[in-house]
Amino acid sequence: MKFALSEVGRHWWKGNLHSHTTISDGRAEPAAMVEHYRDAGWNFLAITDHRTFGFHESLQGDAFLVLPGLEGDINPDVGTHHVVALGDASWREKHGRPYQSPQAGENVGQALLDSLGAEQALTMYCHPVWSRREFADIENLQGFSLFEIYNHGCEYGNRTGLAVLYWDSLLRRGRKVWGTAVDDSHSMEGDSLGGWVMVRSDHLTTDGVLAALRAGHFYSSAGPEILEWAVDGDEVYVQCSPVCSIHFVAWEPHGRSVHAEPGQRLTEAVYRRRGGEGFVRVECVDSKGRTAWSNPIFFAEA
Ligand SMILES: [Zn+2]
């Protein structure tokens, strides 16, 4: 088996898949949010206001893409699920329309995913820890391809942004869901510019970015860069910006961590497969404790 993230597209595009503006409960206008992200070096932003279809084509520039989006939720008094939907060109007519979430019934979380999936959307399950969801509450939900493993706004606001353990639990059950780091920004302050995806694709277009997200051709980060993520036969390889630790997380056996000597930094590491791994993914952690997460590479024989 041979795979190299750098070879699935010609460019890296940096983006935030989850944000709010004055259209819902955010504090900045859509145009100001776009300018904020563009000025900070981001290439794209999904504007995902609560229960409102967003198609902000007029805010796009030559080198900046605004993805169509919205965030749906269910009534908090029956426990909450939040799901971001990323739309495509078919959303042009829907801009500004309210989205009606399903609000009652036995399996309302699944109903929400089904309802958003029916809107020609790529769906992302959001911040399960902030939502106070146990793993059992999400284990059987189907129909989402993306899963927030790091929600910066939740982490910044009340330390509920990290959901990597839930992600691994899904992966160990054979679910092929890709992990995302996002901002869920409601302002241009501390809840923004802290979690992003780096998408590998030829073109900075809605179709190009959505196709790469569906295929898992991206990594997530709150700091470090992953320059290459590859498998060649039994060797899994990562190259990254200087970090203190590189962790290969596998199912199963137990993976392996590599640590830099004191005062030194690592910029690459290799994991040699022992056989039987269902997947291997990598986490690169820098001197400030910030992480970059690759998506898993799946192996068929497990
Ligand atoms: Zn949100």
Side-chain angles (χ1 to χ4, degrees), residues 20-264:
H20 300 278
T21 73
T22 46
I23 291 171
S24 60
D25 59 350
R27 296 208 295 276
E29 302 277 341
M33 284 296 259
V34 166
E35 200 179 318
H36 174 62
Y37 278 91
R38 185 199 286 128
D39 289 352
W42 269 238
N43 302 110
F44 67 91
L45 173 69
I47 295 181
T48 56
D49 279 301
H50 297 285
R51 300 184 183 186
T52 309
F53 287 92
F55 190 87
H56 299 273
E57 200 173 29
S58 63
L59 299 179
Q60 294 189 159
D62 282 347
F64 198 88
L65 175 72
V66 182
L67 285 178
L70 72 79
E71 183 169 20
D73 60 82
I74 61 161
N75 191 335
D77 57 279
V78 289
T80 196
H81 293 279
H82 286 207
V83 174
V84 156
L86 302 172
D88 61 17
S90 72
W91 279 34
R92 184 172 280 108
E93 310 305 319
K94 301 179 188 176
H95 179 63
R97 263 182 27 202
Y99 165 73
Q100 292 291 347
S101 307
Q103 294 296 317
E106 270 288 285
N107 198 350
V108 73
Q110 188 60 54
L112 174 63
L113 282 158
D114 292 347
S115 154
L116 289 170
E119 298 286 353
Q120 302 290 329
L122 176 63
T123 50
M124 174 169 73
Y125 191 87
C126 304
H127 50 62
V129 180
W130 181 91
S131 300
R132 300 299 189 271
R133 281 295 172 182
E134 302 298 330
F135 181 68
D137 299 328
I138 59 173
E139 179 179 0
N140 296 316
L141 295 177
Q142 304 289 332
F144 57 95
S145 323
L146 305 176
F147 184 76
E148 284 184 357
I149 57 171
Y150 180 69
N151 181 305
H152 180 69
C154 293
E155 191 67 11
Y156 181 80
N158 43 48
R159 198 69 162 167
T160 53
L162 205 55
V164 175
L165 295 179
Y166 283 6
W167 186 37
D168 276 334
S169 292
L170 289 167
L171 294 173
R172 285 198 300 269
R173 284 157 176 78
R175 297 283 296 281
K176 292 193 176 172
V177 291
W178 309 119
T180 57
V182 304
D183 274 339
D184 199 355
S185 39
H186 289 69
S187 76
M188 301 188 290
E189 292 161 26
D191 64 348
S192 75
L193 310 180
W196 58 88
V197 290
M198 294 292 290
V199 170
R200 192 75 185 175
S201 169
D202 287 349
H203 303 292
L204 184 63
T205 58
T206 299
D207 287 350
V209 169
L210 290 182
L213 290 170
R214 283 182 203 280
H217 293 165
F218 68 94
Y219 71 87
S220 294
S221 186
E225 280 179 83
I226 292 178
L227 306 170
E228 182 61 290
W229 170 235
V231 56
D232 188 358
D234 283 340
E235 288 192 345
V236 181
Y237 171 76
V238 67
Q239 188 188 359
C240 57
S241 56
V243 296
C244 295
S245 301
I246 296 177
H247 306 282
F248 292 96
V249 179
W251 174 69
E252 288 292 354
H254 289 137
R256 187 168 76 94
S257 293
V258 187
H259 303 285
E261 296 294 326
Q264 306 288 306

